[in-house]
Amino acid sequence: MALEKIAMTQRAMVEEQQERIGNQKWTQYLAAFIATIGGFIAGTALAWTAPAGPMMENNQYPFIISSESLAWIGACMPLGAMLGCPVTAGLVDKLGRKNMMLMLCIPTLIGWAMIIWAESVAWICAGRLLTGFASGSLSVIVPLYTSEIAENEIRGTLGTYFQLQVTAGILFTYIVGSYFNIFSLTLICAIIPIVYVALMILIPESPNFHLMKGNVEKARLSLRYFRGPYGTVDQELSIMQDSLAKTERERVPIMEAFQTTPAKRGLFIGLGVMLLQQFSGCNAVIFYATYIFKESGSAMEPNMSTIIVGVMSVIATYISTLIVDRLGRKILLLGSIIVMGICTLLIGGFFFLKANEYNVSSIGFIPLVSMCAFIVLFSLGFGPIPWMLIGEIFPAQIKGTACSIACMANWFFAFIVTKFFSSLVSAIHIYNTFWLFTFFSVLGTFFVICIVPETKGKSMDEIQEMLGGGNDLTPPTHANVSIDTKGKY
């Protein structure tokens, strides 16, 4: 009986300590929320053309902006983002995560200033390139920072904050754009990076970065902030140091690391999901949402339609954060791409009937319903999961470079879609353009079924085994590493 009481007392003490440690997680949630405001900034830059496009057509600038110029203005943002990814990959380990996030506010502010006081289309395009450059860079750095500050049990949740902030930034831009002119809209967007700088100063640098620089004491202080007074900081620091030392021991030339079977298959899957994310039509919907509803002849105000789409996107992305570890990645991707294909098929059909002078007044709700369904399913599956997936499928040796390649490819595909969407509409009509998106959704369905692995609940070692790590031939000079790490590269 006495032993039983002692055991109960010890259990109560352990539970109390765990509760204290759990209560300290608020610093991780707070830091992740602040850091992912970078995603909010990217969302405002991404969605700016949706409300600003009609304003530019209505001559709110003191110079003429043609439809071709409007297409370039939309496309310059993802083009700038594509350029930002490799630059960031080369600097983030030298300058630090926090420092890079702070420094990226400079090109963002310069870019918005050029758009506000633009004297020609070239000024607007240059401003969009700069805001895009910062957005692309943030899409690499922010998820890296949140993954490094988070404990294992909440890493997935914090990892979805970036996409959630992006969708919130898009919704914010839709709402502000429906009430203000282009000058006020852009000025408000420019204020957000200033707020970001003020908040970022309050949180510490990633402990991993301090360890990479050999500054153990700063790493300890940083980790103490995130884990609180009851966290096992020294033990976790020791694990981090061992992990960094192991990575250094196993380091091989980057081209050699890319020759392994898991690396090749991982890169193929990563680039595939990024291509399908863009060529299913997501950015065409975001960039040209107001135009699509205007053309549909819907009785609802176009700006209100786009706000509804934005609200649905934020809600669905939040739901995705709750269910992705329960249902799995593959089922959400599959359900997402199938419904997205059906939606673009219906939208194409609506515009086909309208182009052939059928009376579509009774089915004017189709664009709104289809857009909402498209955005909801995109936000549940093909919106957040590709970003999560690329963090899981790449071997440790190439993760940084491979993630940068995947991000750069994503923004390149976004550039292609946004730049040539208007040209495609002019050349083959809007209905054929949406049916082309449907075709890519059909391809995506087979890609997800046949190629994409289910990574839910699997360790990094198990994922590498699924991708062919067990069958890979490791060079003789690294045989000892292969044995020690059980297939890790």
Side-chain angles (χ1 to χ4, degrees), residues 7-8 10 19 62 85 89 108 164 181 183 224 244 276 278 289 306 310 319 344 349 352 373 392 394 405 444 485:
M8 289 176 66
Q10 288 177 335
E19 185 179 347
C85 293
T108 307
L164 187 62
N181 62 18
F183 176 85
R224 177 67 66 192
L244 285 171
L276 291 167
Q278 296 301 327
T306 55
I319 292 171
T344 50
F352 175 80
E392 297 178 325
F394 294 129
I405 291 171
T485 58

Side-chain angles (χ1 to χ4, degrees), residues 237-257:
L237 268 180
S238 178
I239 293 170
M240 286 180 178
Q241 287 176 303
D242 289 344
S243 177
L244 285 171
K246 179 182 174 185
T247 301
E248 193 60 36
R249 286 196 308 271
E250 297 176 3
R251 190 175 299 280
V252 296
I254 191 68
M255 293 310 296
E256 185 179 333

Side-chain angles (χ1 to χ4, degrees), residues 147-322:
S147 70
E148 289 182 348
I149 66 170
E151 293 177 76
N152 290 336
E153 56 264 37
I154 61 170
R155 184 170 288 123
T157 301
L158 299 192
T160 58
Y161 276 21
F162 182 77
Q163 181 69 18
L164 187 62
Q165 290 268 30
V166 170
T167 57
I170 291 169
L171 173 60
F172 175 83
T173 308
Y174 286 168
I175 294 172
V176 173
S178 65
Y179 290 102
F180 295 93
N181 62 18
I182 198 164
F183 176 85
S184 300
L185 166 66
T186 313
L187 186 63
I188 291 168
C189 289
I191 292 171
I192 298 166
I194 300 172
V195 176
Y196 188 45
V197 170
L199 293 174
M200 279 297 299
I201 292 171
L202 303 176
I203 62 175
E205 176 60 89
S206 155
N208 292 62
F209 175 72
H210 287 311
L211 285 179
M212 288 170 65
K213 294 299 178 184
N215 198 325
V216 179
E217 192 51 42
K218 281 189 176 180
R220 182 178 284 107
L221 290 172
S222 173
L223 200 58
R224 177 67 66 192
Y225 172 87
F226 293 118
R227 301 297 183 262
Y230 302 102
T232 53
V233 170
D234 289 329
Q235 182 181 343
E236 193 169 347
L237 268 180
S238 178
I239 293 170
M240 286 180 178
Q241 287 176 303
D242 289 344
S243 177
L244 285 171
K246 179 182 174 185
T247 301
E248 193 60 36
R249 286 196 308 271
E250 297 176 3
R251 190 175 299 280
V252 296
I254 191 68
M255 293 310 296
E256 185 179 333
F258 269 100
Q259 294 304 309
T260 64
T261 301
K264 291 176 182 176
R265 291 191 64 188
L267 196 59
F268 179 69
I269 293 166
L271 293 177
V273 293
M274 290 305 188
L275 182 144
L276 291 167
Q277 186 193 68
Q278 296 301 327
F279 281 82
S280 60
C282 66
N283 269 329
V285 170
I286 292 169
F287 281 32
Y288 297 97
T290 305
Y291 165 78
I292 290 167
F293 283 111
K294 181 181 174 184
E295 288 296 303
S296 73
S298 173
M300 186 174 291
E301 187 70 26
N303 284 334
M304 182 55 65
S305 300
T306 55
I307 289 171
I308 290 173
V309 168
V311 170
M312 299 295 280
S313 177
V314 172
I315 293 172
T317 304
Y318 176 70
I319 292 171
S320 179
T321 68
L322 304 177

Side-chain angles (χ1 to χ4, degrees), residues 4-135:
E4 220 172 276
K5 285 182 178 178
I6 292 170
M8 289 176 66
T9 304
Q10 288 177 335
R11 193 180 302 116
M13 290 173 64
V14 169
E15 287 175 356
E16 184 183 353
Q17 186 178 19
Q18 287 177 339
E19 185 179 347
R20 286 173 174 175
I21 294 170
N23 290 340
Q24 185 59 45
K25 286 186 173 67
W26 70 268
T27 53
Q28 296 171 59
Y29 286 107
L30 176 65
F33 175 80
I34 291 173
T36 54
I37 293 173
F40 193 97
I41 292 169
T44 59
L46 192 68
W48 181 83
T49 50
M55 297 182 198
M56 288 186 277
E57 290 180 325
N58 291 334
N59 302 318
Q60 289 197 17
Y61 277 107
F63 47 86
I64 302 299
I65 300 176
S66 66
S67 57
E68 177 63 20
S69 297
L70 205 57
W72 271 111
I73 289 169
C76 277
M77 185 269 171
L79 182 62
M82 182 183 69
L83 299 173
C85 293
V87 174
T88 302
L91 292 176
V92 69
D93 285 341
K94 296 178 181 177
L95 301 178
R97 289 76 166 121
K98 179 181 175 179
N99 288 338
M100 282 291 291
M101 286 186 274
L102 287 169
M103 287 189 290
L104 284 167
C105 291
I106 297 171
T108 307
L109 287 170
I110 294 172
W112 284 125
M114 292 184 75
I115 295 170
I116 291 170
W117 291 289
E119 296 182 1
S120 66
V121 171
W123 279 52
I124 301 176
C125 287
R128 293 280 291 165
L129 279 169
L130 286 171
T131 55
F133 178 89
S135 299

Side-chain angles (χ1 to χ4, degrees), residues 312-357:
M312 299 295 280
S313 177
V314 172
I315 293 172
T317 304
Y318 176 70
I319 292 171
S320 179
T321 68
L322 304 177
I323 65 176
V324 69
D325 284 324
R326 297 181 183 180
L327 298 182
R329 285 71 161 141
K330 191 160 184 168
I331 189 67
L332 287 175
L333 285 174
L334 188 60
S336 174
I337 199 74
I338 289 173
V339 175
M340 285 158 60
I342 293 170
C343 290
T344 50
L345 180 68
L346 289 174
I347 294 168
F350 174 87
F351 283 116
F352 175 80
L353 293 175
K354 185 178 180 184
N356 286 278
E357 299 183 353

